Amino acid sequence: PSYIGAVQTGPMLPPSPLAATTNAEGKFKLERIDPGSYFLHAERQGFVNQQYGARTPKSMGTPITLTAGQEMKELQFKLTPHAVIAGRVLDEEGEPVDKTNVQIRRAVRIKGKQQLVHAGSAQTNDLGEFRAANLPPGRYWVSASLQRFNHVFGEGAPRTTTDQPQEEVVTTFFPSSTDEAGARSLDLVPGQTLSAIDIRMRKERVYRVRGKLVAPLPVKNIRVTIMPRDIELYTDPFSNPAAAVNPDGTFELSRVLPGAYSLVALTVFGNVRSVGSTPVNVARENLSGIVIPFHNTSTVTGSIGVETPAPEKAP
């Protein structure tokens, strides 16, 4: 059986609880639906979740609009069997690395430039094994990182105790590259399980970046990430070093590879938005004293007036 759900569209509307399960013939029926526009979606184990009318398994569907008393029949979903990427993450000596974050990325074009964005994730077990499922057919890039979830959205990474650059394990793309240019892409067809995708993690000389967000104190729910300067859109919290901003506005990023970057301060909760940024160049030494100026979001100003009725004319 498949699960069929409906969510009403429109501003400030709560998710609709409409749902049904298909019978042995794959048929479903949703009843007692209020007039309005809805997105329908279907889910089934072993298949990619899909919206009604979507041209591809992961694209947006087409809303359907119902009027009072209307019956809509013969709607069809054509589900696509999902693909799977499985493999291991190993260190430089070939030993398994557990509790490693594995990111699956796909390519999109943003302002004419290709950028890899998040498409799935997994975590290695004690044998260094990972399995990323529910992937639609397409081309993907796989990477492994020691970056932890709490280092990205919560507490920062431990402060370093030395001022000298260190050699540490860094984000590594399959099969063993520290950047996208040396990564090997994987092409998946519907229902395929691509196994033996082993990533050999690399050690590189990395640098530390310390600074301060100059903002009204106390600073709450803000983190700083460092992105290559040619990136047009921030989409993946695990692709680059990140850390929470301390209450006094200070921050420290570690495991930064050489390059031209933008330091960006982002809100953590609610809508992710930038509240400050500054360019930096990381080359042969640790950086400190970097200042990120705080800027507020856009403000709409205006005035509200009360219109007074004109006095009635005497008869």
Side-chain angles (χ1 to χ4, degrees):
S2 300
Y3 168 85
I4 308 295
V7 177
Q8 193 168 9
T9 66
M12 303 303 292
L13 290 173
S16 172
L18 299 171
T21 302
T22 58
N23 61 19
E25 298 177 342
K27 296 181 178 180
F28 66 92
K29 188 175 185 179
L30 294 169
E31 299 179 294
R32 300 178 180 177
I33 305 175
D34 292 331
S37 294
Y38 295 84
F39 281 110
L40 289 179
H41 64 275
E43 301 175 11
R44 184 177 182 180
Q45 186 173 2
F47 291 80
V48 180
N49 300 342
Q50 189 166 334
Q51 289 191 1
Y52 174 75
R55 295 184 178 182
T56 63
K58 282 297 187 180
S59 63
M60 289 289 294
T62 303
I64 60 173
T65 301
L66 297 173
T67 58
Q70 180 183 4
E71 290 188 13
M72 188 170 289
K73 301 180 179 179
E74 307 301 328
L75 299 181
Q76 292 186 351
F77 285 92
K78 294 183 178 180
L79 299 183
T80 302
H82 74 199
V84 176
I85 297 177
R88 297 181 301 163
V89 176
L90 310 171
D91 62 19
E92 289 187 318
E93 285 72 40
E95 296 296 323
V97 184
D98 68 340
K99 298 180 180 179
T100 300
N101 183 273
V102 177
Q103 289 292 305
I104 313 298
R105 298 183 173 96
R106 60 184 177 87
V108 298
R109 296 197 72 82
I110 301 174
K111 296 183 179 180
K113 297 180 181 180
Q114 177 175 291
Q115 184 174 328
L116 299 186
V117 299
H118 174 84
S121 62
Q123 190 175 63
T124 59
N125 60 18
D126 60 326
L127 300 177
E129 300 168 334
F130 71 89
R131 185 177 188 273
N134 198 34
L135 299 173
R139 176 167 294 178
Y140 296 93
W141 286 257
V142 185
S143 67
S145 172
L146 296 181
Q147 183 88 307
R148 298 289 191 255
F149 186 85
N150 63 324
H151 289 172
V152 177
F153 293 102
E155 63 186 68
R159 290 177 63 89
T160 54
T161 58
T162 175
D163 288 331
Q164 298 302 316
Q166 302 293 304
E167 189 173 81
E168 297 185 23
V169 174
V170 297
T171 297
T172 307
F173 287 83
F174 171 77
S176 186
S177 173
T178 58
D179 56 35
E180 299 173 8
R184 185 187 305 171
S185 62
L186 304 173
D187 292 312
L188 297 179
V189 298
Q192 180 183 14
T193 296
L194 193 58
S195 56
I197 304 302
D198 293 350
I199 302 174
R200 184 68 66 93
M201 298 201 75
R202 294 270 301 273
K203 280 187 176 182
E204 297 289 341
R205 185 169 292 277
V206 292
Y207 300 88
R208 182 204 65 229
V209 178
R210 286 178 179 168
K212 185 173 185 178
L213 173 65
V214 180
L217 298 177
V219 175
K220 293 182 178 180
N221 303 330
I222 298 178
R223 60 188 167 87
V224 171
T225 188
I226 187 166
M227 302 185 300
R229 211 171 293 168
D230 57 355
I231 294 273
E232 295 290 344
L233 180 67
Y234 180 73
T235 58
D236 185 355
F238 290 99
S239 59
N240 295 291
V245 176
N246 298 314
D248 63 355
T250 60
F251 62 87
E252 177 180 322
L253 301 176
S254 59
R255 295 194 181 97
V256 181
L257 290 167
Y261 296 96
S262 292
L263 271 177
V264 183
L266 300 165
T267 55
V268 176
F269 299 109
N271 295 327
V272 176
R273 57 186 176 85
S274 171
V275 294
S277 64
T278 193
V280 294
N281 293 306
V282 180
R284 299 180 180 180
E285 59 185 7
N286 293 328
L287 300 181
S288 60
I290 304 299
V291 174
I292 301 179
F294 180 87
H295 61 77
N296 289 311
T297 54
S298 300
T299 302
V300 177
T301 61
S303 61
I304 298 176
V306 178
E307 184 176 349
T308 304
E312 296 184 1
K313 295 181 179 181

